[in-house]
Amino acid sequence: MSVKSVGKVSVKNVGKVFLKDATKKERKEYIYNKIKSKELFTFVTLAKELAVSNKTIERDIEELKKEGKIKFVGSKRSGYYEIIL
């Protein structure tokens, strides 16, 4: 039996998780864990990974801030989110 290559795997997308139909709680947990791991992201990339709109990501992040779990550090252009201990 021989093994044939069916297609190419894009190294760019290896390891990315796409959570279609995730609940609000699951989305917020995913965002929190991204921030905790210090992985760089944009609202656009999060929206694609979670299959929601940019506005939904903005609302989820705003809720995490109001809950006192995360904060934004720095300027609007070069800032980042950080976990509040």
Side-chain angles (χ1 to χ4, degrees), residues 47-64:
K48 285 181 183 178
E49 290 173 16
L50 296 169
V52 295
S53 70
N54 292 350
K55 190 68 177 167
T56 299
I57 296 298
E58 287 179 36
R59 282 191 296 265
D60 289 346
I61 286 178
E62 195 59 39
E63 284 183 24
L64 287 168

Side-chain angles (χ1 to χ4, degrees), residues 25-73:
K25 183 179 178 183
E26 290 170 333
R27 284 194 319 263
K28 287 170 47 179
E29 185 177 330
Y30 182 81
I31 294 167
Y32 181 86
N33 287 330
K34 271 244 199 234
I35 295 167
K36 189 175 182 180
S37 70
K38 298 184 190 259
E39 186 177 338
L40 297 177
F41 64 88
T42 64
F43 285 12
V44 173
T45 58
L46 279 178
K48 285 181 183 178
E49 290 173 16
L50 296 169
V52 295
S53 70
N54 292 350
K55 190 68 177 167
T56 299
I57 296 298
E58 287 179 36
R59 282 191 296 265
D60 289 346
I61 286 178
E62 195 59 39
E63 284 183 24
L64 287 168
K65 285 174 25 181
K66 285 181 182 176
E67 293 169 5
K69 294 182 178 181
I70 64 171
K71 67 179 178 179
F72 189 79
V73 179

Side-chain angles (χ1 to χ4, degrees), residues 40 71-75 78-82:
L40 297 177
K71 67 179 178 179
F72 189 79
V73 179
S75 70
S78 63
Y80 58 94
Y81 289 95
E82 189 173 85

